């Protein structure tokens, strides 16, 4: 076979050729080992993903710039951690009016990835320092491949946290809806253990966020929010209200004081809100009540989504910065590997992202995972031994 060599010939070279002193033995033909080897090397180089040439000065500038960028990213990771702590604290402050804690996954991810980002960038800075000295860089050769996998996984969690912060909005709203409903229902239970602070929580919440009720102030009309210990059951009005209710609850068209809007020019009207005759110059259908019109669920959702909308761009910036550092560090690693073992350390080398194409890399990773699983199964099988083993035949005795 003469002339050009195809991909099959190149594969045959790696599989079947066995170099010796007299040349090279082949299977199925006589091919020159040297020519096929050069063709194989040329073919493998063509599969490299995003290859860039790095002269000596360019490698030095890359290492120095990456070292500086890693410190910036380290502080960015610390800020991400702080934002996660702040969001976690704010969510924990309102935990009494939340039915579920699903939204806490967002600050938990931010804290974990922010803290990990600090460590990743400290290591990246150290790698950049050692890359300036070819004698110290080889010690990172075995450490960097798993480091890249671990770092890319953690950095991707930043993107996951940002997506979840928006995807979990319906869950947050439903959690607040149920939690606020329970909070309003237990408002009166100031003497019940575990609920004695519910009244203070709701009052402070309504004052701080300038809201009233779950959806609006009418939510207070559906519950008995005054404790029975403060009701005079000898009063005819109290008896009539309790008897008129099927469940025997004291319901009234009134709201707690924390619903009052201090910006209203009129003194606060808390009771008989639906009775025009109970107040002078008053008509509840047309007059804007001197109460907060916004429900607390809407106020809290707006507050938390506002926080996440502010944190989101910061997290996105941290993600892009971290990925830039990892890509640049990969280029620096592969460029420096070309210097290892060379007498002239100022030679031009090549840097790349993947040694092979994306498809080939995925297939190779898949094969490695299969081998690891098979190896694990073999170990498990060898660990399982029968309880009893057949004994050797013994000679008969008289």
């Amino acid at each position: 076979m003469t002339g050009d060599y195809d991909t099959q010939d190149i594969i045959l070279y790696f599989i079947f050729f066995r170099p010796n002193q007299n040349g090279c033995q082949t299977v199925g033909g006589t091919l020159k080992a040297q020519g096929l080897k050069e063709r194989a090397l040329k073919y493998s180089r063509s599969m490299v993903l995003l290859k860039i040439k790095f002269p000596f000065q360019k490698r030095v500038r890359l290492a120095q710039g990456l070292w500086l960028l890693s410190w910036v990213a380290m502080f960015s990771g610390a800020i991400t951690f702080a934002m996660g702590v702040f969001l976690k604290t704010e969510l924990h402050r309102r935990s009494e009016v939340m039915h579920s804690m699903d939204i806490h996954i967002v600050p938990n991810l931010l804290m974990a990835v922010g803290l990990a980002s600090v460590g990743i960038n400290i290591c990246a800075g150290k790698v950049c320092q050692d890359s300036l000295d070819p004698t110290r860089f080889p010690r990172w050769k075995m450490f960097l491949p798993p480091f890249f996998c671990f770092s890319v996984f953690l950095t991707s969690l930043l993107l996951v946290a940002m997506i979840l912060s928006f995807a979990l909005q319906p869950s947050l709203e439903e959690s607040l809806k149920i939690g606020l409903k329970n909070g309003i229902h237990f408002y009166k239970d100031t003497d019940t253990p575990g609920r004695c602070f519910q009244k203070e929580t709701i009052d402070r919440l309504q004052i701080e966020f300038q809201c009233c009720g779950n959806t609006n102030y009418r939510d207070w009309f559906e519950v008995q929010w005054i404790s029975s210990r403060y009701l005079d059951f000898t009063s005819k009005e109290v008896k009539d209200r309790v008897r008129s209710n099927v469940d025997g609850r004291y319901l009234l068209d009134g709201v707690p004081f924390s619903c009052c809007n201090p910006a209203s020019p009129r003194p606060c009207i808390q009771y008989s809100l639906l009775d025009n005759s109970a107040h002078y110059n008053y008509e509840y259908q047309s007059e804007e009540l001197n109460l907060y019109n916004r429900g607390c669920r809407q106020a809290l959702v707006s507050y938390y989504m506002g926080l996440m909308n502010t944190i989101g761009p910061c997290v996105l910036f941290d993600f892009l910065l971290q990925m830039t550092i990892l890509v640049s560090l990969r280029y620096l690693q592969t460029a420096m590997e070309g210097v290892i073992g060379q007498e002239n350390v100022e030679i031009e080398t090549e840097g790349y992202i993947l040694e092979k194409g994306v498809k080939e890399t995925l297939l190779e990773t898949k094969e490695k995972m299969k081998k690891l699983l098979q190896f694990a199964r073999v170990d498990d099988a060898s660990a399982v031994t029968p309880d009893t083993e057949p004994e050797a035949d013994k000679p008969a005795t008289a």
Side-chain angles (χ1 to χ4, degrees):
M1 182 184 298
T2 58
D4 294 334
Y5 308 124
D6 57 12
T7 306
Q8 185 178 0
D9 295 331
I10 297 168
I11 296 174
L12 286 174
Y13 171 80
F14 287 114
I15 297 176
F16 296 108
F17 276 76
R18 299 292 183 269
N20 54 34
Q21 294 179 353
N22 299 325
C24 192
Q25 297 177 354
T26 66
V27 176
T30 57
L31 297 172
K32 294 295 182 180
Q34 187 63 32
L36 192 54
K37 182 178 180 181
E38 291 176 357
R39 193 61 178 263
L41 291 173
K42 184 177 180 182
Y43 175 75
S44 63
R45 286 171 183 169
S46 66
M47 297 173 64
V48 174
L49 182 65
L50 300 177
K51 180 173 62 177
I52 299 177
K53 293 186 180 296
F54 285 92
F56 174 72
Q57 290 299 328
K58 191 174 181 179
R59 288 200 305 270
V60 172
R61 287 196 298 268
L62 176 62
Q64 292 174 341
L66 195 53
W67 178 84
L68 182 61
L69 203 59
S70 64
W71 280 98
V72 175
M74 187 186 71
F75 286 110
S76 179
I79 292 173
T80 300
F81 174 77
M83 289 189 297
V85 171
F86 175 73
L87 183 58
K88 180 80 172 180
T89 303
E90 287 299 301
L91 288 170
H92 184 71
R93 286 180 61 196
R94 315 297 172 197
S95 59
E96 293 183 5
V97 293
M98 289 186 181
H99 180 66
S100 65
M101 299 298 173
D102 294 343
I103 194 65
H104 281 254
I105 190 175
V106 176
N108 291 344
L109 281 176
L110 292 178
M111 289 189 294
V113 178
L115 199 59
S117 179
V118 174
I120 289 171
N121 287 288
I122 290 175
C123 290
K126 185 62 177 173
V127 172
C128 294
Q129 282 184 325
D130 288 353
S131 66
L132 297 174
D133 185 357
T135 61
R136 291 190 300 175
F137 183 78
R139 63 181 178 177
W140 294 98
K141 187 174 181 179
M142 300 301 296
F143 171 78
L144 286 176
F147 170 79
F148 280 119
C149 296
F150 178 72
S151 301
V152 169
F153 171 73
L154 285 178
T155 305
S156 300
L157 292 181
L158 283 173
L159 203 59
V160 172
M162 188 177 67
I163 294 172
L164 286 177
S165 66
F166 296 100
L168 290 177
Q169 180 178 351
S171 175
L172 173 63
E173 190 168 355
E174 185 64 23
S175 174
L176 288 170
K177 179 181 178 180
I178 299 174
L180 285 168
K181 182 179 179 181
N182 293 334
I184 292 174
H185 180 73
F186 299 134
Y187 181 86
K188 68 180 186 302
D189 297 339
T190 53
D191 298 328
T192 305
R195 302 175 187 170
C196 53
F197 294 105
Q198 198 70 50
K199 176 183 178 299
E200 180 183 358
T201 299
I202 295 296
D203 283 335
R204 290 185 180 277
L205 176 68
Q206 294 189 144
I207 293 172
E208 181 179 352
F209 287 90
Q210 299 183 355
C211 58
C212 184
N214 191 342
T215 305
N216 54 48
Y217 69 92
R218 288 177 176 267
D219 293 327
W220 291 103
F221 300 173
E222 301 172 2
V223 297
Q224 178 182 335
W225 53 271
I226 300 178
S227 176
S228 297
R229 65 180 295 186
Y230 302 115
L231 295 176
D232 182 10
F233 285 96
T234 61
S235 170
K236 182 178 182 302
E237 180 187 356
V238 173
K239 289 181 180 180
D240 290 343
R241 285 188 179 274
V242 172
R243 289 171 182 172
S244 64
N245 185 263
V246 177
D247 298 327
R249 296 179 298 170
Y250 181 75
L251 304 181
L252 71 163
D253 53 344
V255 296
F257 76 97
S258 54
C259 283
C260 294
N261 185 358
S264 174
R266 181 168 186 163
C268 185
I269 298 176
Q270 294 178 241
Y271 303 102
S272 302
L273 293 172
L274 304 182
D275 187 2
N276 292 333
S277 62
H279 311 284
Y280 176 74
N281 193 20
Y282 176 76
E283 187 175 355
Y284 78 91
Q285 293 95 338
S286 59
E287 182 174 349
E288 183 178 351
L289 301 180
N290 52 1
L291 306 174
Y292 295 124
N293 294 320
R294 186 172 61 163
C296 290
R297 173 158 47 101
Q298 179 188 352
L300 285 172
V301 169
S302 299
Y303 173 69
Y304 286 125
M305 293 312 298
L307 282 180
M308 293 180 187
N309 289 337
T310 303
I311 292 174
C314 299
V315 173
L316 181 60
F317 170 78
D318 193 20
F319 169 77
L320 295 175
L321 179 62
Q322 196 64 47
M323 289 303 296
T324 301
I325 289 175
L326 292 176
V327 170
S328 302
L329 190 63
R330 173 62 176 169
Y331 273 118
L332 181 62
Q333 175 210 0
T334 52
M336 287 301 300
E337 286 179 353
V339 180
I340 297 176
Q342 299 291 335
E343 293 183 2
N344 181 13
V345 296
E346 297 185 3
I347 61 172
E348 182 182 86
T349 57
E350 293 179 349
Y352 50 84
I353 300 299
L354 295 176
E355 190 174 2
K356 300 178 181 179
V358 177
K359 184 178 179 180
E360 290 78 7
T361 303
L362 291 176
L363 289 174
E364 185 178 345
T365 305
K366 183 180 177 181
E367 290 300 323
K368 288 181 179 179
M369 293 300 296
K370 284 183 178 179
K371 289 181 180 179
L372 286 175
L373 291 175
Q374 290 176 356
F375 182 74
R377 289 175 183 174
V378 170
D379 286 348
D380 292 341
S382 62
V384 177
T385 56
D387 295 336
T388 57
E389 295 182 356
E391 297 182 357
D393 295 334
K394 297 181 180 180
T397 56

